[in-house]
Amino acid sequence: MSCLQTSALSGSDEVLLDRFWEARGVLEVAQRRRLIAAAAQPHTHGRRGQAAAALELPGANTAWLLSGEPSTQLQVEAVSAWVLQMQSLLGDPEDADIVRMIVQEPRLLSADMRQVANRLLDMKIAAGAVGTDILKVVEAQPALLLQEASPLDVEETAAQRAQAWQFGLASDGAREWARRARELAAYCQAMGDAHVGFRTGDAPELARWAAKQRADHAAGALPGERVAALEALGFEFDEAAAEWGRWFREVAAASGGGDSPAYTSSEALLLTNWCSVQRIAKRAGVLSQARIALLDSIEFDWSMADALS
């Protein structure tokens, strides 16, 4: 879809910004054209490289888009300049698509360009002779650009570090693993279980670390001492079982009259649906006896009518 042509922006710049604003929820072409025209102002080029931190970006907020306030103009200029500069740093969108990366990791919009450039350089050096395509790695795991480079662990090879990157982790060497294990222990203390990654608000890096431990375990690549340490914390290596255990704990807390977490409306709906699924699964004969026994132990109500039935 063509955008308003200007002398200050190239056609590829306009296409990129058009995709960015559409991804931000600006669905009307005319509004996107106004935003692109604003980005072509002479000030913009002097602002390139500036982080977009603290800018309040709109989604499809028509009043914001059409306000005409000077502060709005500056916001559009700064954010547009940041997007163009970041794509320039990464290369062509075929190499790494910054719009897709921002959709996946919105915190990128507050990243400092120099820190991102340094992070990319650190990753290229750390990759060594492994031949890892760093741009494809950060496109798949853009959170890597927000992490500080961890010190090289003498026991961690370049190939092992590159594997950690596939899960969005800066490293999974001995020192880093021990630090994450301590974080998981603290999570257990706070939440009562080790099912990280299945609750709203769980730390993304710890959740990604847990996912890597499951993948390594499934591949037979998780050392025995790490398996033992995780099992001691009650870590569940089966992802589906971990998610089931997370919801079971919520139901158990509510059934026992203890302190239940404050749910958002969407979380409350998910919990209600989870309970419905357990009832339906039992009636269908596909709920394991072990899970039935666990639910019976908290006097789960099997008789309620279910909207999902």
Side-chain angles (χ1 to χ4, degrees):
M1 185 178 296
S2 64
C3 301
L4 181 67
Q5 295 293 318
T6 68
S7 59
L9 295 175
S10 69
S12 59
D13 284 349
E14 292 182 1
V15 170
L16 177 61
L17 291 177
D18 186 64
R19 290 181 55 241
F20 168 74
W21 288 112
E22 185 175 22
R24 290 292 306 180
V26 184
L27 302 182
E28 293 186 21
V29 175
Q31 292 183 353
R32 295 204 302 273
R33 287 179 174 175
R34 292 186 65 175
L35 289 165
I36 294 167
Q41 298 303 312
H43 325 70
T44 302
H45 303 291
R47 298 173 66 87
R48 290 196 177 192
Q50 175 178 331
L55 293 178
E56 296 181 4
L57 294 179
N61 186 334
T62 304
W64 191 97
L65 295 171
L66 304 179
S67 68
E69 295 291 331
S71 60
T72 299
Q73 172 74 25
L74 293 176
Q75 286 177 314
V76 172
E77 288 182 24
V79 173
S80 300
W82 185 94
V83 171
L84 295 174
Q85 179 91 2
M86 183 63 76
Q87 187 66 76
S88 177
L89 176 65
L90 295 173
D92 293 331
E94 291 77 14
D95 298 326
D97 186 345
I98 187 60
V99 173
R100 183 186 304 169
M101 292 166 67
I102 291 171
V103 169
Q104 182 177 337
E105 183 51 81
R107 293 181 301 162
L108 272 179
L109 281 171
S110 60
D112 182 272
M113 196 69 61
R114 290 167 297 184
Q115 292 179 3
V116 170
N118 289 336
R119 177 68 178 131
L120 280 171
L121 179 60
D122 288 339
M123 290 182 69
K124 288 179 180 179
I125 294 172
V130 176
T132 301
D133 187 338
I134 296 300
L135 293 180
K136 288 303 179 187
V137 168
V138 298
E139 182 181 47
Q141 296 288 351
L144 285 168
L145 295 177
L146 304 176
Q147 299 175 23
E148 294 183 4
S150 57
L152 282 174
D153 196 314
V154 294
E155 297 180 1
E156 184 181 36
T157 66
Q160 288 171 330
R161 175 163 289 208
Q163 184 186 25
W165 291 342
Q166 303 300 323
F167 290 85
L169 303 171
S171 168
D172 197 26
R175 286 194 298 267
E176 184 69 8
W177 198 94
R179 182 172 76 87
R180 295 296 183 192
R182 290 192 296 271
E183 289 182 4
L184 182 61
Y187 181 91
C188 291
Q189 184 70 25
M191 306 304 299
D193 60 52
H195 307 319
V196 65
F198 301 101
R199 290 183 173 91
T200 301
D202 281 355
E205 287 187 26
L206 186 60
R208 291 194 292 268
W209 178 82
K212 183 177 185 299
Q213 308 317 303
R214 293 190 179 98
D216 287 351
H217 184 266
L222 192 64
E225 63 273 15
R226 293 189 177 185
V227 173
L230 290 170
E231 287 179 339
L233 292 172
F235 186 80
E236 176 56 68
F237 288 103
D238 181 87
E239 182 177 343
E243 185 172 12
W244 192 92
R246 170 263 196 273
W247 288 111
F248 171 77
R249 181 167 182 82
E250 306 298 342
V251 175
S255 301
D259 293 333
S260 298
Y263 296 119
T264 64
S265 57
S266 60
E267 288 173 331
L269 178 60
L270 287 173
L271 183 58
T272 298
N273 287 345
W274 184 88
C275 291
S276 293
V277 168
Q278 308 316 304
R279 298 185 184 100
I280 294 169
K282 184 186 179 185
R283 290 199 295 270
V286 295
L287 189 63
S288 71
Q289 289 301 313
R291 290 186 175 180
I292 292 173
L294 280 172
L295 290 166
D296 282 341
S297 72
I298 61 171
E299 299 182 353
F300 183 77
D301 188 349
W302 297 105
S303 63
M304 289 183 64
D306 298 314
L308 298 179
S309 299

